[in-house]
Amino acid sequence: MRVTFTVNGTLQEADDVWEGESLLYVLRERMGLPGSKNACEQGECGSCTVYLDDVPVCSCLVAAGQVQDRDVRTVEGLASGDDLDPVQEAFIEAGAVQCGFCTPGLIVATHELLRRDDDPSDAEIREALAGNLCRCTGYEMIIDAVRLAATRARTGVRQ
Amino acid sequence: MEFLRPTTWTDALAAKAEHPSALPIRGGTDVMVELNFDVRRPDVLLDLGGVKELGEWSPSNGSIQLGAGVPYTRIITELGERLPGLALASRTVGSPQIRNRGTVGGNLGSASPAGDAHPPLLASNAVVVAESVRGRREIAIDDYFTGVKKNALAPDELIHSVLLPLATGPQQFSKVGTRNAMVIAVCAFGLALHPRERVVGTGIGSAAPTPVRAPEADAFLSGELPWETRGSLPETVGLEFGRLVAAAASPIDDVRGTAAYRRHALSVLARRTLGWAWHDYQTGAWS
Ligand SMILES: Cc1cc2nc3c(=O)[nH]c(=O)nc-3n(C[C@H](O)[C@H](O)[C@H](O)COP(=O)(O)OP(=O)(O)OC[C@H]3O[C@@H](n4cnc5c(N)ncnc54)[C@H](O)[C@@H]3O)c2cc1C
Ligand code: FES
Ligand code: FES
């Protein structure tokens, strides 16, 4: 089947999509957007998180056909050109990236959290990121990165 | 495989009548796991994502008519006061990403004994509204679960909504899992106090082939609670309530826990949720 939907602001078409295929597969294998990672395909790790109509979801759990005429934003759509999103910058500066596999999903989840609330408590950060697993960092630096991005979002300061 | 994308409820029912073997999908949080792992190969997928009315809820005669496709996130943010038991349970489902997509309709569709929406639906006497081209059918929640992952839906029926009486008293939900987020319950318990009727509702998850009530515990507690005086509860009441709840379960040993542990944990959950709910009743504005 053919699926037509907006990805990062551009209308895209995917042809010959198998009906049971996931949005994650379409993004990675058909559209050349490898930012969303495939680790578990069962909603456990969150590394495939994307915005679907502005709501973060696991793209491995969305059937490709379900995004017909809808709007998808991946981690690739957060930076503008060479300018990283402040959340991406904060992850780099805080050392929240080790192997980097979990990073795109965490960036999308963090991005959404800070849009809702630019002064989250640690408990709120932990709850918002509970769907994203990291095998490397132990999470402390990830939480530092979220705090850093939040501070900057509040104060508008970027060093 | 065929992929059907009705945009109206009428078209969805017509599609299900024409393809009774079609697998409905809404949030996809159960269905896609099965497709990704080749557990299932339906000949037709019936995407209910485009049916707007499934994503709506409205007050109806002292109840909330909750569309089968309202995601947990919206139940938490929009219905926390009116349906506190279901909202509490919704908060424990998966992760934000899962709660953004997962629905009560999907939980009922899967009918897993571990479905977290089920204990509060039992405790508050919910009614499942099923529809087909043949018409509408209201299924009392007690008649809905028919076996392990089996439900009372006919092949041509879809769940339209759930009727949930507005809370008239405190409601609680608690579950035991191996960590805070993203766990299938080892066991779960939902409690609703119905002060007007002077009765108690319970629902047990993950401790029997289907979600079940604890009728003897309900009857015992309904009679023991000092509804009128709102006085404090003797410890023996909580202990006996817990014992009767545990006795209503028929758990098994599995990877998540032993039967004996589940019974013990249930008695503790019952006693604790009762303590919280009674405290709410003593201090709250319930009439
Ligand atoms: C990582 C992860 C964690 C999870 N954690 C929990 C948890 O903590 N607690 C819990 O209870 N569940 C959990 N789940 C399971 C799942 O999220 C829930 O069962 C959810 O409620 C399913 O809703 P859905 O809309 O995504 O269903 P779908 O996957 O779309 O459908 C599920 C079933 O219901 C049927 N169905 C859907 N809508 C209808 C309808 N309107 N009429 C008839 N049949 C219908 C489908 O055909 C299918 O059989 C988890 C799942 C994942 C992947
Ligand atoms: S790949 Fe989607 S959650 Fe793990
Ligand atoms: S940095 Fe390696 S998984 Fe998170």
Side-chain angles (χ1 to χ4, degrees), chain B residues 84-220:
Chain B
L86 183 62
L88 282 168
S90 301
R91 283 195 61 133
T92 75
V93 173
S95 64
Q97 290 92 323
I98 301 299
R99 294 192 287 272
N100 284 341
R101 293 282 294 167
T103 65
V104 172
N107 216 226
L108 285 167
S110 295
S112 156
D116 285 322
H118 307 149
L121 297 188
L122 283 162
S124 64
N125 303 310
V127 171
V128 180
V129 179
E131 282 190 35
S132 69
V133 290
R134 296 174 291 120
R136 170 185 160 121
R137 192 158 72 101
E138 296 194 351
I139 309 170
I141 191 71
D142 295 83
D143 301 328
Y144 179 79
F145 303 103
T146 54
V148 181
K149 299 195 179 180
K150 292 210 165 60
N151 62 47
L153 294 179
D156 64 345
E157 279 180 323
L158 294 172
I159 302 169
H160 174 267
S161 51
V162 182
L163 292 170
L164 283 126
L166 289 167
T168 55
Q171 302 184 348
Q172 282 295 342
F173 175 84
S174 194
K175 93 187 194 190
V176 173
T178 43
R179 60 192 176 104
N180 274 339
M182 209 77 115
V183 286
I184 302 177
V186 175
C187 60
F189 183 69
L191 175 68
L193 302 186
H194 306 289
R196 276 186 218 157
E197 298 84 10
R198 302 271 194 264
V199 297
V200 170
T202 50
I204 298 173
S206 276
T210 66
V212 290
R213 282 177 197 274
E216 287 177 20
D218 299 352
F220 163 77

Side-chain angles (χ1 to χ4, degrees), chain B residues 245-280:
Chain B
V245 166
S250 38
I252 51 167
D253 296 317
D254 73 3
V255 289
R256 280 179 278 133
T258 63
Y261 174 73
R262 284 190 161 97
R263 276 193 208 281
H264 173 71
L266 271 174
S267 70
V268 175
L269 291 183
R271 185 157 43 84
R272 279 193 195 150
T273 51
L274 171 61
W276 299 330
W278 192 250
H279 179 261
D280 288 349

